[in-house]
Amino acid sequence: MVSLTAMLPSQEEAALAKLSSRELAAFVETKASTQQVMLSGKDGHAHHVEVPVSALRLLVDILTELGEGNTVKLIPVHAEMTTQEAADLMNMSRPTFIKLLDEGNIPYHRVGNRRKVKYTDVMAYKQEVDQQRLEALDELSSLDQSLGLGY
């Protein structure tokens, strides 16, 4: 298993990513649907590639995260995940995530003896829980105000 520190960008990589993010962001601020990108190959020849602007925006986001010293993992929206991957995404233990599945809070299906969940279903549940938390915080804040607690 690869340690987390081995996955984090070095200080040099983070600095380069931050600089690259800034420079690339200047070209993404366009209304065009594609951009031409030039890459130099090992042979020294320039190769022109047409890239969707949406992909360049994603690359800027990735470089920004790397520039802040974070590791980035891409998950396709239609991807199916293992229960461990989903638990990691939700920042909870796998047994707690399995409990959510068993309670019917998140749909899943079995592949052999393994449970698989859709990324979209996990994120929908996460958004629902986040919304409930915000509503509870608003309610607590209103209660604090009505009681004059001054928070």
Side-chain angles (χ1 to χ4, degrees):
M1 175 174 252
V2 178
S3 72
L4 181 59
T5 54
M7 294 170 39
L8 294 174
S10 68
Q11 287 183 340
E12 295 80 19
E13 290 170 328
L16 181 59
K18 186 178 278 189
L19 178 64
S20 299
S21 171
R22 287 183 191 142
E23 290 186 21
L24 190 56
F27 294 101
V28 177
E29 300 299 327
T30 179
K31 294 184 190 249
S33 60
T34 62
Q35 289 277 167
Q36 286 284 329
V37 177
M38 185 184 74
L39 302 170
S40 298
K42 289 181 182 180
D43 58 3
H45 289 95
H47 302 275
H48 294 275
V49 180
E50 191 165 345
V51 180
V53 170
S54 59
L56 289 176
R57 284 190 190 108
L58 180 59
L59 182 56
V60 168
D61 291 344
I62 291 168
L63 290 168
T64 300
E65 288 298 323
L66 291 173
E68 293 176 6
N70 298 321
T71 297
V72 176
K73 180 177 183 179
L74 296 177
I75 302 173
V77 172
H78 299 292
E80 287 189 341
M81 302 165 35
T82 66
T83 53
Q84 185 61 62
E85 291 170 331
D88 291 345
L89 183 66
M90 295 287 293
N91 199 26
M92 63 177 57
S93 70
R94 186 176 166 277
T96 300
F97 186 78
I98 295 293
K99 185 177 177 188
L100 291 174
L101 297 181
D102 289 342
E103 292 171 350
N105 293 317
I106 302 172
Y108 70 94
H109 69 279
R110 290 192 177 268
V111 176
N113 64 349
R114 306 272 184 199
R115 298 175 208 223
K116 295 286 187 172
V117 293
K118 291 182 181 178
Y119 172 81
T120 52
D121 291 336
V122 174
M123 291 310 295
Y125 177 79
K126 184 177 183 336
Q127 287 176 341
E128 179 182 323
V129 169
D130 288 346
Q131 183 61 38
Q132 290 171 355
R133 286 180 183 150
L134 287 174
E135 289 170 4
L137 284 172
D138 285 344
E139 187 176 324
L140 284 173
S141 179
S142 294
L143 186 59
D144 285 346
Q145 293 297 319
S146 67
L147 295 175
L149 297 176
Y151 291 112

